[in-house]
Amino acid sequence: MQNNGFALTEIVDLADHDDLFELLDNESVYALSHQGITDGFSSVKAISRSTGIETRRLLQPQLSPIDIAAAIAEKLQSTVGFEWADCPAIMLCHSHTNHDSARQLCDELSNILRVPSKKFIALNYGCVGFVELLKRAAELLENLPERVHIPLLTVETPEHWHDSSDKAFCGIVSAGATGTTLWKGPGHSLLHVETSTEYIPAERRKQEVPLFWTEQGDMFDFRGRPEHKLVMHMDGESVFLNGVDLMLEACLKSYEQVAGQADRILIAPHQPSGKLLKAMIAAARQVPITADYLNNLPFYGNSISSTIPTILARLEEVVYANGYAPVNDGDVILLPAAGICMNRLTDSMCIGRAAIQWQPSRYENRA
């Protein structure tokens, strides 16, 4: 089993912070989906069946992304124990239709943390964002000394760049924020990581219909109020078809690298929607891939780049909710992801995969 000496330390999230988020239930989603000119969900039960989600999070109305960025940064520092000034780089993924939004958020956070803005690496990367953070941090660490922390932050508020009346998105997206650090030291060993952009051939897309596209105009926010903004749309059928295949490909490649070298393998995939996740898991079991598949959708939703690290931050809770035995030191967790390509919306999707060996006691006992 490959071990390059890189490891994740503690992983934290903010999902239980009622002061930062409010919950959006399926009754509210049903009402939101019927605001626009297109057909909304047929029933509240249909939302549960289609999305696999019961509640998702919205940023509290008086707050903005910098509030949760500052909160996750504070929680990460206090949990892991490091000084921001000592970090050679700080990476943050914040997805948005406005490509300047991630950079702007980094600049705001640099002022709060009193760290030069040039230290921040801003990513607008979508669903594969956490895996991309891992990849870029590992590349930087190759030329850095041991025990230097590179913080990895995800701050996602998708309600700011989606139309709440759009049935394709309004039932699945959720706000979230996570933090961890990668370093050459003890922790959850990073076994491998890889990301790429995959062109989707014309025969796997609808004719003259892009996979994703943006639209500027008068939309609705997620509290039902009119709002003028630039939003994201998608061709759900084509994205589903290709998303299942790409997620399965990511699972298979990672599984082949670790199979037979670990007593137990778990899979913590990106959680796009209940329908896509079920299809991917069903296909993986036919291959077969022998692993425990983790589903965190019902009460957390698709929080874009925050989805996978939220599972890791709440691993014991998620494993219990899925009916599996507790995770032990040495278990391997695969992290496959696929989704929107923010730089090539119309004809491409991003794919990513990583694997870690779960070893919490190694970092807890580092002293």
Side-chain angles (χ1 to χ4, degrees):
M1 190 180 302
Q2 178 185 350
N3 188 337
N4 49 27
F6 305 152
L8 290 171
T9 57
E10 303 285 355
I11 307 158
V12 298
D13 78 320
L14 299 175
D16 56 356
H17 285 237
D18 296 339
D19 57 325
L20 299 173
F21 303 107
E22 63 181 57
L23 298 181
L24 186 71
D25 60 21
N26 284 341
E27 287 76 11
S28 299
V29 169
Y30 176 81
L32 291 171
S33 73
H34 285 269
Q35 298 171 112
I37 59 174
T38 58
D39 292 338
F41 286 103
S42 60
S43 67
V44 172
K45 288 185 177 180
I47 299 173
S48 296
R49 290 195 301 267
S50 174
T51 68
I53 303 169
E54 298 302 323
T55 57
R56 63 286 288 157
R57 282 160 183 77
L58 296 178
L59 195 59
Q60 288 283 1
Q62 73 276 16
L63 302 181
S64 63
I66 187 57
D67 293 298
I68 57 172
I72 194 64
E74 180 183 357
K75 187 172 185 177
L76 177 63
Q77 183 185 31
S78 64
T79 304
V80 173
F82 64 91
E83 296 298 327
W84 293 103
D86 296 336
C87 301
I90 302 164
M91 297 189 174
L92 185 150
C93 183
H94 177 61
S95 309
H96 207 290
T97 48
N98 175 4
H99 290 289
D100 295 328
S101 185
R103 183 70 258 168
Q104 292 166 358
L105 184 58
C106 285
D107 291 344
E108 292 179 81
L109 188 57
S110 74
N111 290 329
I112 293 173
L113 300 180
R114 298 182 180 179
V115 176
S117 181
K118 63 182 180 181
K119 278 195 174 187
F120 281 81
I121 299 174
L123 278 71
N124 178 18
Y125 211 84
C127 300
V128 186
F130 180 67
V131 184
E132 180 69 10
L133 289 174
L134 285 175
K135 175 187 172 184
R136 295 200 190 190
E139 291 169 350
L140 285 178
L141 284 171
E142 289 284 359
N143 300 312
L144 292 173
E146 292 186 355
R147 295 177 178 262
V148 173
H149 291 274
I150 297 184
L152 311 179
L153 304 174
T154 69
V155 177
E156 300 288 11
T157 55
E159 69 266 32
H160 292 159
W161 49 286
H162 287 102
D163 176 9
S164 69
S165 69
D166 183 352
K167 189 170 69 170
F169 279 115
C170 69
I172 60 174
V173 294
S174 177
T178 69
T180 187
T181 71
L182 192 71
W183 73 339
K184 293 178 183 176
H188 309 293
S189 296
L190 178 63
L191 305 178
H192 62 252
V193 60
E194 180 181 76
T195 65
S196 64
T197 297
E198 297 292 323
Y199 171 74
I200 306 300
E203 61 269 20
R204 293 186 64 83
R205 294 180 273 121
K206 289 181 182 176
Q207 188 174 4
E208 299 181 355
V209 177
L211 293 171
F212 299 90
W213 69 97
T214 59
E215 178 187 5
Q216 181 89 40
D218 294 326
M219 311 294 174
F220 292 93
D221 71 9
F222 277 71
R223 292 175 179 86
R225 300 171 301 203
E227 181 180 25
H228 190 86
K229 58 183 176 179
L230 181 66
V231 302
M232 181 74 64
H233 296 299
M234 73 173 171
D235 171 22
E237 184 177 339
S238 296
V239 170
F240 174 85
L241 170 70
N242 293 287
V244 170
D245 287 351
L246 291 175
M247 291 278 284
L248 180 60
E249 177 185 338
C251 275
L252 280 170
K253 286 184 176 180
S254 281
Y255 184 78
E256 288 169 356
Q257 284 189 244
V258 302
Q261 302 179 52
D263 292 336
R264 182 188 184 191
I265 296 173
L266 300 95
I267 300 179
H270 174 60
Q271 320 263 293
S273 70
K275 183 179 177 183
L276 195 153
L277 190 61
K278 286 180 182 178
M280 186 277 290
I281 293 173
R285 284 175 170 157
Q286 292 297 314
V287 174
I289 294 176
T290 304
D292 294 339
Y293 297 88
L294 302 179
N295 180 351
N296 197 36
L297 270 169
F299 301 106
Y300 294 90
N302 177 352
S303 54
I304 319 299
S305 69
S306 296
T307 307
I308 288 176
T310 297
I311 296 174
L312 299 179
R314 299 175 170 271
L315 190 62
E316 292 184 7
E317 168 193 322
V318 177
V319 168
Y320 178 81
N322 281 265
Y324 297 125
V327 181
N328 295 315
D329 273 22
D331 289 348
V332 170
I333 306 175
L334 308 185
L335 312 176
I340 188 171
C341 180
M342 300 301 282
N343 293 323
R344 290 187 58 177
L345 295 175
T346 61
D347 61 5
S348 299
M349 293 179 68
C350 284
I351 181 173
R353 63 188 186 90
I356 59 174
Q357 188 169 31
W358 194 251
Q359 300 171 113
S361 60
R362 287 188 71 223
Y363 185 71
E364 292 168 358
N365 300 328
R366 67 193 185 281

